[in-house]
Amino acid sequence: MVDGFGRAIGDLRLSVTDRCNLRCAYCIPDETPVFQPREELLTFEELERVTALFVAAGVSKIRLTGGEPLLRRDISELVRGIAAIEGVKDLAMTTNGIFLGGALADLRAAGLHRLNISLDTLRPERFRLLTRRSGLEKVIDAIRLARDADMGTVKVNVVPLRGFNDDEIVAFGQFAREERVVVRFIEFMPLEAGELWSRDLLVPGAEIRATLNAWQPLVPLDPTHDAETAERFRFVDGAGEIGIIAPVTRAFCGACNRARITADGKLRTCLFSLHEIDLKTPLRAGAEDRDLLELIGSAWAAKEEGHLINSKDFVRPARTMSAIGG
Ligand code: SAM
């Protein structure tokens, strides 16, 4: 399945819930958010069917996300179902790690390949301030558990925010080296319709690179695949790898092969799409596979050329990352 700009579909992000146990201020700005009623969420059966259709269309990489995917009861059953779909080559999950300790063995046994764990600060007070919850120690324990679990490399996602945690960039570089995990710095993106995002809060990828490079020289690494979003580096002495994902200042839309399904079954062809394609209604109305594939195909054909963050015409999508699936 190829879009109007020659990009073949390859990667599917499934949001399995919009609920989260944390309240990261930049992701869920509202401290008492209204979540989707449970009956609006795709069931595991529906998620597996949708995944199989996307795999038939050319997807081989799947990421489970949310919201917090570990809040979805029996999530390892979904992992098992998706891992069994022929053609799924890479099955990963993005989590805040708080509940990972009790779930990791089951997830691994069910066929999960890799984990990304989000952590924006190494300071307990800041963690509480940002997430409006406690749990830093649990997240660090989860990172270590995942690292030692004989799965793919653990990646730690960090969103630097000016004046909040941008003084921890070197500390996270050190963390990557000491903990033997890949730390990936992600530029803050304008996602919620609210007014939180601003260029003043954004720490550009080039600055992150310069900060780390001044501390320990960085050596660029080759991309692992064509649709790689991160610029990868190792430190000159060989210890530690970091990645910089700069969707705002160094957009990678030209190679984007990703589609997203929201927890309530809407297909989005770009994080910044202003429209969504409803898959849940036809799914629940008994649509045949070929009809659903046609719907997915026409949505993919109309995939946006790129986001418009840097254009005056940019309009922020109303949904937050937690509601879309990060
Ligand atoms: N709850 C899981 C977690 O915390 O990893 C998965 C969902 S969370 C929305 C996925 C990722 O999106 C997190 O790493 C978070 O930092 C990131 N994120 C959320 N809003 C963002 C924004 N506006 N810009 C950049 N990254 C964002």
Side-chain angles (χ1 to χ4, degrees):
M1 206 176 263
V2 176
D3 73 8
F5 302 92
R7 297 167 298 189
I9 195 167
D11 185 316
L12 179 67
R13 314 228 153 181
L14 286 175
S15 174
V16 298
T17 177
D18 61 337
R19 283 162 205 267
C20 192
N21 50 311
L22 300 184
R23 294 288 180 273
C24 300
Y26 65 87
C27 188
I28 307 191
D30 188 353
E31 214 169 325
T32 49
V34 179
F35 294 121
Q36 297 275 351
R38 284 181 206 282
E39 61 274 15
E40 295 300 327
L41 305 188
L42 293 189
T43 63
F44 285 178
E45 204 180 321
E46 289 167 340
L47 283 162
E48 284 169 33
R49 180 162 178 222
V50 165
T51 305
L53 289 169
F54 275 87
V55 170
V59 161
S60 61
K61 293 180 72 173
I62 313 282
R63 176 169 299 279
L64 303 181
T65 182
E68 173 48 44
L70 296 179
L71 286 185
R72 190 80 190 248
R73 192 189 306 244
D74 299 327
I75 185 76
S76 55
E77 287 313 309
L78 177 66
V79 169
R80 194 180 312 284
I82 292 178
I85 297 171
E86 202 175 328
V88 172
K89 298 205 180 93
D90 184 38
L91 177 54
M93 178 183 284
T94 305
T95 170
N96 60 40
I98 300 271
F99 299 122
L100 190 63
L104 186 63
D106 284 349
L107 291 170
R108 185 172 166 269
L112 189 72
H113 299 145
R114 302 187 293 116
L115 280 155
N116 285 39
I117 301 178
S118 305
L119 179 62
D120 296 320
T121 174
L122 296 166
R123 303 190 190 177
E125 264 318 302
R126 275 190 189 169
F127 185 91
R128 257 193 293 276
L129 202 63
L130 179 71
T131 66
R132 295 179 276 202
R133 299 289 184 273
S134 56
L136 174 61
E137 281 308 316
K138 281 196 180 130
V139 181
I140 292 180
D141 287 350
I143 291 170
R144 292 179 177 146
L145 264 179
R147 175 199 61 197
D148 297 336
D150 190 25
M151 296 171 77
T153 309
V154 175
K155 293 179 183 159
V156 175
N157 290 353
V158 183
V159 178
L161 301 169
R162 175 88 61 212
F164 180 74
N165 61 352
D166 55 336
D167 55 352
E168 291 188 69
I169 289 171
V170 165
F172 272 109
Q174 182 85 30
F175 187 81
R177 289 162 69 79
E178 286 177 2
E179 299 291 343
R180 291 173 286 115
V181 293
V182 175
V183 169
R184 309 214 310 173
F185 298 93
I186 305 173
E187 283 180 349
F188 182 34
M189 293 177 272
L191 274 170
E192 24 72 52
E195 293 304 313
L196 189 65
W197 187 88
S198 79
R199 280 189 194 271
D200 297 342
L201 273 180
L202 169 82
V203 183
E207 181 181 327
I208 297 168
R209 178 176 175 176
T211 303
L212 288 164
N213 198 58
W215 171 62
Q216 295 272 347
L218 293 172
V219 179
L221 294 169
D222 289 335
T224 52
H225 54 91
D226 291 347
E228 180 86 80
T229 53
E231 280 186 288
R232 301 168 59 235
F233 302 91
R234 66 173 171 81
F235 290 100
V236 73
D237 64 1
E241 180 183 323
I242 62 120
I244 297 176
I245 302 179
V248 181
T249 63
R250 192 187 142 270
F252 34 79
C253 308
C256 180
N257 66 352
R258 279 174 294 282
R260 293 167 195 268
I261 305 288
T262 63
D264 57 341
K266 307 278 167 39
L267 166 59
R268 296 174 68 92
T269 48
C270 173
L271 249 185
F272 299 96
S273 294
L274 293 175
H275 65 281
E276 303 175 332
I277 296 90
D278 180 10
L279 293 183
K280 185 178 65 187
T281 303
L283 257 176
R284 292 191 177 171
E288 302 276 342
D289 282 358
R290 65 163 188 282
D291 299 331
L292 291 167
L293 267 172
E294 218 175 282
L295 193 57
I296 294 167
S298 54
W300 187 259
K303 179 174 166 72
E304 300 80 344
E305 182 175 13
H307 68 61
L308 299 173
I309 297 174
N310 298 312
S311 132
K312 62 176 177 18
D313 299 326
F314 179 61
V315 178
R316 293 180 200 192
R319 296 211 203 212
T320 62
M321 189 76 124
S322 65
I324 297 172

